[in-house]
mmCIF file of all heavy atoms in Angstrom:
data_model
loop_
_atom_site.group_PDB
_atom_site.id
_atom_site.type_symbol
_atom_site.label_atom_id
_atom_site.label_comp_id
_atom_site.label_asym_id
_atom_site.label_seq_id
_atom_site.Cartn_x
_atom_site.Cartn_y
_atom_site.Cartn_z
ATOM 1 N N SER Q 66 -60.665 -8.956 33.345
ATOM 2 C CA SER Q 66 -61.880 -9.745 33.247
ATOM 3 C C SER Q 66 -62.763 -9.149 32.156
ATOM 4 O O SER Q 66 -63.273 -8.039 32.309
ATOM 5 C CB SER Q 66 -62.596 -9.743 34.601
ATOM 6 O OG SER Q 66 -63.704 -10.595 34.562
ATOM 7 N N ALA Q 67 -62.905 -9.890 31.056
ATOM 8 C CA ALA Q 67 -63.647 -9.389 29.902
ATOM 9 C C ALA Q 67 -64.649 -10.428 29.411
ATOM 10 O O ALA Q 67 -65.014 -10.448 28.247
ATOM 11 C CB ALA Q 67 -62.680 -8.995 28.793
ATOM 12 N N GLY Q 68 -65.096 -11.297 30.299
ATOM 13 C CA GLY Q 68 -66.035 -12.345 29.918
ATOM 14 C C GLY Q 68 -67.392 -11.778 29.522
ATOM 15 O O GLY Q 68 -67.785 -10.707 29.973
ATOM 16 N N GLY Q 69 -68.099 -12.499 28.670
ATOM 17 C CA GLY Q 69 -69.452 -12.110 28.303
ATOM 18 C C GLY Q 69 -69.532 -10.900 27.397
ATOM 19 O O GLY Q 69 -70.392 -10.044 27.568
ATOM 20 N N ASN Q 70 -68.629 -10.821 26.436
ATOM 21 C CA ASN Q 70 -68.654 -9.766 25.433
ATOM 22 C C ASN Q 70 -68.733 -10.419 24.054
ATOM 23 O O ASN Q 70 -69.111 -11.586 23.949
ATOM 24 C CB ASN Q 70 -67.408 -8.879 25.565
ATOM 25 C CG ASN Q 70 -67.525 -7.884 26.707
ATOM 26 O OD1 ASN Q 70 -68.273 -6.923 26.635
ATOM 27 N ND2 ASN Q 70 -66.791 -8.135 27.784
ATOM 28 N N ASN Q 71 -68.358 -9.686 23.028
ATOM 29 C CA ASN Q 71 -68.342 -10.219 21.660
ATOM 30 C C ASN Q 71 -66.958 -10.062 21.040
ATOM 31 O O ASN Q 71 -66.834 -9.840 19.841
ATOM 32 C CB ASN Q 71 -69.376 -9.483 20.787
ATOM 33 C CG ASN Q 71 -70.773 -9.592 21.352
ATOM 34 O OD1 ASN Q 71 -71.261 -10.688 21.586
ATOM 35 N ND2 ASN Q 71 -71.407 -8.455 21.585
ATOM 36 N N ILE Q 72 -65.948 -10.170 21.864
ATOM 37 C CA ILE Q 72 -64.579 -9.924 21.420
ATOM 38 C C ILE Q 72 -64.103 -11.102 20.570
ATOM 39 O O ILE Q 72 -64.167 -12.256 20.998
ATOM 40 C CB ILE Q 72 -63.660 -9.695 22.634
ATOM 41 C CG1 ILE Q 72 -64.135 -8.443 23.383
ATOM 42 C CG2 ILE Q 72 -62.202 -9.577 22.213
ATOM 43 C CD1 ILE Q 72 -63.528 -8.270 24.760
ATOM 44 N N SER Q 73 -63.624 -10.791 19.355
ATOM 45 C CA SER Q 73 -63.214 -11.860 18.439
ATOM 46 C C SER Q 73 -61.697 -11.974 18.288
ATOM 47 O O SER Q 73 -61.207 -12.944 17.732
ATOM 48 C CB SER Q 73 -63.863 -11.670 17.069
ATOM 49 O OG SER Q 73 -63.536 -10.407 16.550
ATOM 50 N N PHE Q 74 -60.952 -10.989 18.763
ATOM 51 C CA PHE Q 74 -59.490 -11.095 18.739
ATOM 52 C C PHE Q 74 -58.918 -10.223 19.851
ATOM 53 O O PHE Q 74 -59.555 -9.276 20.301
ATOM 54 C CB PHE Q 74 -58.911 -10.699 17.376
ATOM 55 C CG PHE Q 74 -59.164 -9.265 16.997
ATOM 56 C CD1 PHE Q 74 -58.233 -8.276 17.294
ATOM 57 C CD2 PHE Q 74 -60.326 -8.901 16.351
ATOM 58 C CE1 PHE Q 74 -58.475 -6.954 16.961
ATOM 59 C CE2 PHE Q 74 -60.582 -7.573 16.006
ATOM 60 C CZ PHE Q 74 -59.649 -6.604 16.309
ATOM 61 N N LEU Q 75 -57.722 -10.581 20.284
ATOM 62 C CA LEU Q 75 -57.042 -9.838 21.345
ATOM 63 C C LEU Q 75 -56.074 -8.838 20.720
ATOM 64 O O LEU Q 75 -55.546 -9.090 19.635
ATOM 65 C CB LEU Q 75 -56.277 -10.803 22.250
ATOM 66 C CG LEU Q 75 -57.125 -11.845 22.974
ATOM 67 C CD1 LEU Q 75 -56.242 -12.746 23.815
ATOM 68 C CD2 LEU Q 75 -58.188 -11.185 23.826
ATOM 69 N N PRO Q 76 -55.827 -7.728 21.399
ATOM 70 C CA PRO Q 76 -54.853 -6.768 20.866
ATOM 71 C C PRO Q 76 -53.476 -7.404 20.714
ATOM 72 O O PRO Q 76 -53.119 -8.336 21.447
ATOM 73 C CB PRO Q 76 -54.808 -5.666 21.932
ATOM 74 C CG PRO Q 76 -56.072 -5.809 22.697
ATOM 75 C CD PRO Q 76 -56.416 -7.272 22.653
ATOM 76 N N ARG Q 77 -52.714 -6.899 19.758
ATOM 77 C CA ARG Q 77 -51.326 -7.344 19.599
ATOM 78 C C ARG Q 77 -50.535 -6.986 20.855
ATOM 79 O O ARG Q 77 -50.844 -6.013 21.522
ATOM 80 C CB ARG Q 77 -50.677 -6.665 18.390
ATOM 81 C CG ARG Q 77 -51.259 -7.087 17.067
ATOM 82 C CD ARG Q 77 -50.548 -6.418 15.882
ATOM 83 N NE ARG Q 77 -50.250 -4.999 16.061
ATOM 84 C CZ ARG Q 77 -51.138 -4.019 15.915
ATOM 85 N NH1 ARG Q 77 -52.388 -4.288 15.608
ATOM 86 N NH2 ARG Q 77 -50.780 -2.755 16.085
#
Side-chain angles (χ1 to χ4, degrees):
S66 185
N70 282 288
N71 302 305
I72 298 167
S73 57
F74 63 93
L75 299 179
R77 293 182 317 281

